Amino acid sequence: MQAAAPRQVPCPSCRAPALFGAANPWRPFCSQRCRNADLGAWASERFRVPAELPSDDEGSTPPAPPAD
């Protein structure tokens, strides 16, 4: 039985082919430089996860107090 060829994926930072396996300690990145560039982008908030703002109906009126 022949061993499967190592899987190649595009580096998320520079799009160069990167080995996706245990032999690549920076996976899915192609190098430590690309990995650090991505980390720096998150740290400087160039990458952001969008937050949903509450709609006009939500939060405009305070909740009713519980009935005794």
Side-chain angles (χ1 to χ4, degrees), residues 10-32:
C11 174
S13 185
C14 71
R15 310 310 290 168
L19 179 66
F20 192 81
N24 179 2
W26 307 290
R27 71 180 174 269
F29 301 98
C30 64
S31 66
Q32 186 173 9

Side-chain angles (χ1 to χ4, degrees), residues 2 16 19 25 41 50 55 66-67:
Q2 188 176 8
L19 179 66
S55 67

Side-chain angles (χ1 to χ4, degrees), residues 34-47:
C34 283
R35 182 177 157 203
N36 288 341
D38 184 76
L39 179 61
W42 280 102
S44 66
E45 297 184 358
R46 282 188 296 172
F47 295 147

